[in-house]
Amino acid sequence: RKKCLLCNNVLMLVAASIMGCSKISQSFEMILIGRFMCGVSLCVPLHHQYVGEISPRKLRGFANSTSSFFWTLGKAIGQISGQRELLGSQALWPLLMASCGLPALLQLVTLPFFPESPPYLLMQKGDTEGCKKAIRQLWGEGQHQAEIDDIVKEKATMKNTKILSVLELVREPAFRWQLYMIVILTSTIQLCGINAV
């Protein structure tokens, strides 16, 4: 999870650099490429997954809701800083386009000091000691055996569950209506007023 987030931040920095240099290069295609790279990044689902996995059970819901809060706050800051009086002017718009690299740079600098998520270490890597060390680093010293037991139970449940590839998921008729609903909801999210909120 952590390595994927770090790679994703590198992608965002490259995208921000391409968009920031588009005016100097006099190339609108660079804006299209940069925006495409921002669009294919996995920021939102990865953040939700990582934050949910490193949070203690009693704070997990709150931690996941803070991701949505900061996502919305970022959209609001982008809308405000895009005004002509701030970064939306003729001279400063490349800085506005490149500003998406600031959170990525901040995370790229700070994330190496965080441990990998405990469920990932235990379930995918089978590293019990690494899991315990990550839990102590994240949640402090104390009795965390109940959380480790929950992860072990989840791992046992996952052994009996077949994990489908993306292609298998698309071909599976039992999931077809759920997929249609997800595609419709995701494609219409820009029409729901979240930007105004």
Side-chain angles (χ1 to χ4, degrees), residues 11-189:
L11 177 69
M12 289 298 289
L13 284 173
V14 170
S17 302
I18 289 171
M19 290 187 293
C21 295
S22 62
K23 185 175 181 183
I24 295 168
S25 303
Q26 296 181 344
S27 169
F28 73 90
E29 293 89 357
M30 290 175 73
I31 297 172
L32 296 175
I33 292 167
R35 289 303 301 153
F36 178 77
M37 290 171 72
C38 287
V40 298
S41 73
L42 301 169
C43 293
V44 176
L46 280 174
H47 281 103
H48 281 287
Q49 187 171 19
Y50 184 71
V51 167
E53 288 183 357
I54 66 170
S55 303
R57 191 174 359 148
K58 59 187 170 201
L59 295 176
R60 203 161 287 152
F62 173 74
N64 276 327
S65 66
T66 58
S67 294
S68 298
F69 169 76
F70 284 113
W71 182 44
T72 308
L73 181 66
K75 283 182 161 251
I77 290 171
Q79 297 270 342
I80 292 167
S81 58
Q83 300 300 313
R84 260 186 234 118
E85 295 80 14
L86 299 172
L87 294 177
S89 67
Q90 185 72 23
L92 297 177
W93 69 261
L95 289 176
L96 178 66
M97 297 297 288
S99 66
C100 67
L102 291 176
L105 181 63
L106 178 68
Q107 192 175 48
L108 198 61
V109 170
T110 58
L111 196 60
F113 298 103
F114 284 81
E116 187 57 81
S117 79
Y120 173 76
L121 288 171
L122 189 60
M123 292 172 70
Q124 267 79 29
K125 296 288 186 184
D127 185 4
T128 307
E129 283 307 310
C131 175
K132 289 177 181 176
K133 183 181 174 190
I135 286 175
R136 282 193 301 273
Q137 186 178 348
L138 289 165
W139 307 340
E141 296 296 331
Q143 194 58 263
H144 304 296
Q145 191 58 43
E147 283 87 356
I148 294 171
D149 291 342
D150 283 346
I151 296 169
V152 170
K153 284 178 193 171
E154 187 178 344
K155 182 179 181 179
T157 305
M158 292 299 287
K159 278 186 179 177
N160 300 329
T161 306
K162 184 185 180 223
I163 298 174
L164 300 174
S165 70
V166 175
L167 199 56
E168 290 172 330
L169 182 67
V170 171
R171 289 180 179 162
E172 181 63 46
F175 300 122
R176 191 137 313 134
W177 282 106
Q178 291 90 332
L179 280 172
Y180 290 155
M181 291 298 291
I182 289 170
V183 168
I184 291 168
L185 288 172
T186 305
S187 61
T188 58
I189 197 163

